[in-house]
Amino acid sequence: MNKGYVYLVGAGPGDPKLITVKGAECIAKAEVLIYDRLASRRLLTLANPECELIYVGKSPERHTLRQEEINALLVQKASEGKIVTRLKGGDPFVFGRGGEEAEELLKAGIPFEIVPGITSAISVPAYAGIPVTHRDLTSSFAVITGHEDPTKNTSALAWEHLAKAHGTLVFLMGMENLSLIAAKLMENGRSPATPVGIIQWGTRPEQRVLEGELHNIAQLAKEEGFANPSIIIVGEVVKLREKLKWFEKKPLFGQRVIVTRARHQASGLSQGIEDLGGEPWEFPAIDIAPPSDPTLLSKAIENISRFQWLIFTSVNGVEKFFEALMEQGKDVRDLANMEIAAIGPATKEALTKRCLKVAFVPEEYRAEKIVEGLAKRVLPGQSVLLARAEEARDILPKSLQALGAEVWDVPTYRTVIGNANKDELLRLLEEKAINAVTFTSSSTVRNFLQLIDGKKKLLEGVKLYSIGPITSQTAQENGLKIYKEAKEYTIKGLLEALAEGDS
């Protein structure tokens, strides 16, 4: 049997965007993904759906699998001819025991690669606003295991040199030994007034920072309940945090936000949440499918020359309409004698990208306002093609008919329940790890409730944000209380509502 291949990949400190490009590629190509607790679970979404996921979570306090068992597991899976990615928090070779795993693979004759990761030793302090070096304060730093008991007889750490060095000291995995570390440094000459910072869950929404001095940091950490995973940083550079901290100042710092949009449309909202300092979790509650009866759209396009108005109410409607137009051998030239209306700026943009001039966009982005704006534009007897979602409300076609227009209400698509990871969604809600949920349409509300099996109690303490009044109304009809509604019924408006928070 052909032997497989193993990638020992550093996942970075926690923020999934800090994975390297090569690391992400290794996750995507893996047939088996073996990961620990410090690797962000969001990185698992990069894996192939057929990939075997194996959790081998380790912490200083307990091990799901011993290191020897992890080594054997890597050899076993690779010996089956599989591509294995071992995803490790931080960097594999910085107290990651990647060297031991590589040695076992070498013994078994299994080829491997090391894909470095961003070590928490420098990245976590950076997210807390603490540079490990600074021209005016220190030109060196040391990364030290904090897992070794400083009181043992044969310590591998040269405490007398560490204490007297002027550089920054970064201890990893040292919370259990914090009081002993501080005592050892002071015994060997380090000033009790030396600044110390502790950063727990650095680069993640849970990140919190404690500042103290060598003589009192252990007591402060105990009082504040600091535990692993934490970075302990000792040195004058800690004083810079007050003016350099940046991560906690972002408006959505500490917030995990669920994005319910269809996966192909979620990136803009997710990126906006990240830019605001939040952590987006994409659980697409909807997907876009062909209409139940596609012949209606085909017939409308066959008769396209009869229409004086073409109205779009969403970007999806635009995309699906033009796909059908091209399939029938037509293009934008066939729309030359038509006026075009769009319900909002995103829909208008989708049309202008196709070199079409939009005659009308309502000031308020909903069907009622389209009707108000078109009341003096659409003339009795004119034919209107309304290209939109199959399940859309009937207020728009009925109102246009009341104006005396002939209305072809043609579905270009329908929304179906999305392919969200239901188990992961329920896990996060049950663990109270979610702060907010965003709804961008009535369909996202209804389908999201299906995904959580109607368990509305899971949303207690979770803030619900709506893109506009119709979506809010659907939420209320389904027993959900919207915390805040976007003032402008767009993704930009939704992000502004999120950024406002409690204000």
Side-chain angles (χ1 to χ4, degrees), residues 65-135:
L65 289 182
R66 298 193 309 273
Q67 186 61 51
E68 294 76 14
E69 293 173 309
I70 295 173
N71 297 345
L73 182 63
L74 291 170
V75 171
Q76 174 199 332
K77 292 297 181 180
S79 297
E80 294 172 3
K82 295 178 179 177
I83 297 174
V84 181
T85 294
R86 168 72 169 112
L87 196 59
K88 304 169 71 68
D91 178 90
F93 279 7
V94 179
F95 302 128
R97 304 188 74 170
E100 297 171 41
E101 294 173 357
E103 286 179 309
E104 289 299 315
L105 294 168
L106 188 63
K107 285 180 188 176
I110 293 170
F112 64 88
E113 283 185 37
I114 309 298
V115 181
I118 300 176
T119 174
S120 59
I122 58 172
S123 55
V124 168
Y127 265 58
I130 303 173
V132 291
T133 63
H134 189 278
R135 182 175 177 179

Side-chain angles (χ1 to χ4, degrees), residues 7-265:
Y7 296 95
L8 300 177
V9 177
D15 182 340
K17 283 293 185 76
L18 294 180
I19 186 79
T20 63
V21 173
K22 186 168 185 178
E25 290 173 351
C26 292
I27 296 172
K29 71 174 69 172
E31 295 172 285
V32 180
L33 184 63
I34 299 173
Y35 65 100
D36 63 32
R37 77 172 187 135
L38 295 182
S40 170
R41 291 184 66 88
R42 284 176 64 202
L43 292 175
L44 305 186
T45 63
L46 302 178
N48 188 297
E50 305 301 318
C51 179
E52 180 183 5
L53 305 178
I54 302 176
Y55 176 63
V56 292
K58 296 175 65 180
S59 72
E61 298 85 10
R62 62 177 179 83
H63 301 320
T64 297
L65 289 182
R66 298 193 309 273
Q67 186 61 51
E68 294 76 14
E69 293 173 309
I70 295 173
N71 297 345
L73 182 63
L74 291 170
V75 171
Q76 174 199 332
K77 292 297 181 180
S79 297
E80 294 172 3
K82 295 178 179 177
I83 297 174
V84 181
T85 294
R86 168 72 169 112
L87 196 59
K88 304 169 71 68
D91 178 90
F93 279 7
V94 179
F95 302 128
R97 304 188 74 170
E100 297 171 41
E101 294 173 357
E103 286 179 309
E104 289 299 315
L105 294 168
L106 188 63
K107 285 180 188 176
I110 293 170
F112 64 88
E113 283 185 37
I114 309 298
V115 181
I118 300 176
T119 174
S120 59
I122 58 172
S123 55
V124 168
Y127 265 58
I130 303 173
V132 291
T133 63
H134 189 278
R135 182 175 177 179
D136 297 329
L137 299 173
T138 180
S139 57
S140 64
F141 71 97
V143 182
I144 309 144
T145 177
H147 198 40
E148 183 190 68
D149 185 350
T151 63
K152 69 182 187 180
N153 294 329
T154 56
S155 173
L157 301 178
W159 289 101
E160 66 279 9
H161 296 298
L162 289 173
K164 293 173 183 176
H166 294 291
T168 303
L169 305 180
V170 182
F171 291 88
L172 306 185
M173 306 167 293
M175 290 306 294
E176 284 191 328
N177 294 324
L178 177 58
S179 59
L180 294 171
I181 290 170
K184 210 71 176 174
L185 289 172
M186 289 187 289
E187 286 173 14
N188 284 273
R190 196 79 172 216
S191 168
T194 303
V196 181
I198 299 176
I199 308 127
Q200 185 176 30
W201 288 114
T203 79
R204 298 177 182 243
E206 301 94 336
Q207 174 176 304
R208 58 181 188 142
V209 183
L210 177 67
E211 295 178 68
E213 295 179 342
L214 210 50
H215 69 92
N216 65 3
I217 192 63
Q219 182 59 36
L220 291 174
K222 183 178 179 180
E223 291 172 358
E224 297 296 327
F226 272 68
N228 283 311
S230 292
I231 301 294
I232 303 165
I233 183 164
V234 180
E236 296 301 314
V237 290
V238 174
K239 291 179 179 179
L240 295 171
R241 168 175 157 73
E242 189 54 38
K243 60 181 178 180
L244 296 184
K245 61 183 179 183
W246 58 274
F247 189 35
E248 295 107 313
K249 290 182 178 180
K250 292 201 168 191
L252 290 186
F253 168 72
Q255 303 291 302
R256 281 196 176 91
V257 182
I258 287 179
V259 175
T260 56
R261 295 194 93 190
R263 193 173 298 282
H264 73 285
Q265 292 181 317

